[in-house]
Amino acid sequence: SDAVTTAVIRPRVNRESNVVSLMMPLCLSQMDKISTSKFDVEHRGKTTYKSFEFIQFYEGLMLGLEQLEKRGYNVTLNVVDVEDNSPETVEAVFRSHNVAQSDLLIAFLTRQPFEKAAQLAREAQLFIVNPVSDREEIVNGNPYVFKCVPSAGAYAPAIVRSIRNAMPTAPVYIVHSGAKGETSMQQALVAELEKEPARPYTTINWSTTSTKFVTTLKANPQAAVVSIYQQDRSKNRIYVSQLLNKLSSFKSKTPTLFSVSDWSVEQTDVDFAQLQNLTYHTFYSDWDRGDAVQKDFVGRFRDRYKTEPVTTYAGIANDIILFFVTGLQQKGTEFFRHPVLPRQQGMMGALQFAPSREGNGFENQTATLYRMTDYHFVPVTSE
């Protein structure tokens, strides 16, 4: 059904053009201090090279914009460089660049600057898009926020549907660390599993019951293990290594493994043979080389920028500009009342937004689960 917002919807600011503001840390004032020799580019992570960190988001957005202009859409892009994370800086550039006079604001910012930008956007009755945050609370109490990363409400049904189709009677183990950030995912999974009264499921706190859990699993390995464990990077790395080693050591049959975060990308030293052995499922976050649209985008990005694009930056930027500008072009700002649009030509994936609750912003409901098959990731078709 159509999503409905409680926000006040303003008319377009310019009849002739779709006006979009982009706020992100480009660090343009640092550019003259940076040499782009091979040696320097390899040190991108260092503070001096901040301007390289997120540039792919801008580049992906420019490729999407090019497609829109070929379709005859008139877009005015107002680029706002946010050089530091202070709320004062965010407010200063928001006002000095007249961001309020836009139809849409795309804010590729970290936590605190985004919160400030979202507050200013709300005051200006301006819709604001967050491309990469997975924190559910960014939409709370602000009907102007669009959150592009799906939440538990999208991930959990995809996982449980796949288990239902492939393993109709198997028990399910939800492995967590007890961290507060895992609560909504655990609740969403339990709510889905409760719809199947005959399905046994257990939640496992890895830090306290991992040994007992592995012993139980060895006795009945025909099970689904769903990992929602989320701690800091080093703890995650140790946990993933331990879990894979233990599950892969089973002599005959091994359980089927699901993880919400994509270990094939996040864990740089992960053992792909172990993942394959455990029929690994995840929300794959790299390029799907079998998808013609993604293949075309990667090719165009390489040709233009002479480097490999990153999905989470370049890909989502391309999709955001195609989705929202097409909606604005076709329906005007009334699009924000019902922000529903099929996957547009050139988009990497669909964006399907719905408000989480009345008075809140919108969350993307699309989550595609992939299964590792012969060391490649293949989308799990939803029957």
Side-chain angles (χ1 to χ4, degrees):
S1 66
D2 279 351
V4 179
T5 181
T6 54
V8 174
I9 312 249
R10 294 195 272 119
R12 285 243 304 257
V13 296
N14 181 337
R15 282 189 191 176
E16 308 303 315
S17 185
N18 302 284
V19 183
V20 178
S21 284
L22 168 67
M23 291 179 77
M24 66 175 290
L26 288 163
C27 305
L28 298 175
S29 68
Q30 308 296 314
M31 287 306 249
D32 57 342
K33 300 175 191 170
I34 296 172
S35 154
T36 51
S37 70
K38 185 173 185 295
F39 174 79
D40 284 339
V41 173
E42 283 173 354
H43 289 72
R44 285 182 176 195
K46 294 191 175 174
T47 333
T48 333
Y49 301 95
K50 271 199 300 195
S51 53
F52 285 124
E53 288 289 299
F54 308 121
I55 196 73
Q56 284 212 353
F57 187 84
Y58 176 77
E59 292 168 341
L61 193 132
M62 295 313 287
L63 284 185
L65 202 54
E66 203 171 81
Q67 295 297 302
L68 290 165
E69 286 170 348
K70 280 181 183 168
R71 293 169 202 174
Y73 292 5
N74 190 352
V75 184
T76 302
L77 184 65
N78 175 29
V79 180
V80 183
D81 184 10
V82 184
E83 292 227 353
D84 68 58
N85 287 342
S86 71
E88 294 75 19
T89 298
V90 172
E91 181 154 10
V93 295
F94 187 95
R95 301 205 186 285
S96 65
H97 286 71
N98 210 11
V99 173
Q101 287 304 301
S102 314
D103 298 316
L104 179 74
L105 167 58
I106 300 167
F108 189 69
L109 300 169
T110 51
R111 183 174 183 160
Q112 284 182 309
F114 180 82
E115 283 170 5
K116 184 62 182 176
Q119 177 206 322
L120 294 164
R122 184 178 183 175
E123 289 165 10
Q125 298 175 347
L126 171 65
F127 285 91
I128 177 171
V129 179
N130 186 306
V132 291
S133 174
D134 60 0
R135 293 184 306 109
E136 294 184 18
E137 59 269 26
I138 67 168
V139 299
N140 291 349
N142 189 339
Y144 291 92
V145 175
F146 281 90
K147 175 177 175 294
C148 294
V149 175
S151 292
Y155 288 132
I159 291 170
V160 175
R161 194 184 310 122
S162 177
I163 294 170
R164 186 187 306 126
N165 291 338
M167 313 170 74
T169 58
V172 178
Y173 296 94
I174 301 168
V175 184
H176 64 93
S177 73
K180 192 181 171 191
E182 300 159 348
T183 309
S184 59
M185 185 60 69
Q186 186 169 317
Q187 288 172 344
L189 283 165
V190 167
E192 288 297 315
L193 290 164
E194 286 287 339
K195 294 175 186 174
E196 303 176 44
R199 167 91 62 190
Y201 71 89
T202 313
T203 58
I204 304 292
N205 187 323
W206 183 255
S207 53
T208 57
T209 54
S210 61
T211 309
K212 188 182 173 189
F213 163 58
V214 172
T215 308
T216 306
L217 205 51
K218 267 188 176 166
N220 181 15
Q222 293 291 81
V225 175
V226 182
S227 173
I228 63 170
Y229 185 105
Q230 198 59 49
Q231 289 277 355
D232 61 45
R233 191 173 293 184
S234 66
K235 282 184 183 168
N236 288 350
R237 187 168 172 265
I238 294 162
Y239 157 75
V240 169
S241 173
Q242 286 179 340
L243 179 72
L244 293 181
N245 285 336
K246 286 182 176 179
L247 298 188
S248 296
S249 69
F250 292 9
K251 290 289 179 281
S252 52
K253 289 185 163 56
T254 51
T256 300
L257 178 63
F258 295 77
S259 75
V260 176
S261 55
D262 179 2
W263 296 344
S264 76
V265 172
E266 277 184 18
Q267 305 294 328
T268 48
D269 55 354
V270 74
D271 186 332
F272 278 79
Q274 290 182 330
L275 293 181
Q276 173 65 36
N277 182 39
L278 293 162
T279 320
Y280 179 56
H281 296 67
T282 192
F283 297 94
Y284 183 57
S285 60
D286 206 346
W287 298 105
D288 178 356
R289 304 294 177 179
D291 184 302
V293 176
Q294 295 194 23
K295 197 173 172 184
D296 171 67
F297 179 84
V298 171
R300 285 188 291 119
F301 194 97
R302 277 189 195 135
D303 289 347
R304 174 69 52 85
Y305 301 114
K306 312 301 178 205
T307 189
E308 282 291 309
V310 178
T311 44
T312 43
Y313 291 168
I316 192 62
N318 170 80
D319 285 7
I320 286 168
I321 198 78
L322 288 175
F323 178 85
F324 284 100
V325 170
T326 303
L328 277 166
Q329 179 78 18
Q330 292 179 359
K331 302 175 184 177
T333 54
E334 280 298 302
F335 176 62
F336 297 124
R337 200 173 300 287
H338 304 284
V340 176
L341 207 63
R343 178 177 169 179
Q344 295 299 295
Q345 187 183 345
M347 283 177 66
M348 307 296 115
L351 287 171
Q352 295 176 324
F353 289 101
S356 49
R357 284 181 303 281
E358 194 172 334
N360 284 356
F362 295 88
E363 295 181 77
N364 179 20
Q365 303 298 307
T366 306
T368 305
L369 192 66
Y370 282 75
R371 179 181 65 247
M372 188 182 253
T373 309
D374 298 330
Y375 292 90
H376 293 285
F377 282 95
V378 179
V380 176
T381 52
S382 50
E383 284 80 8

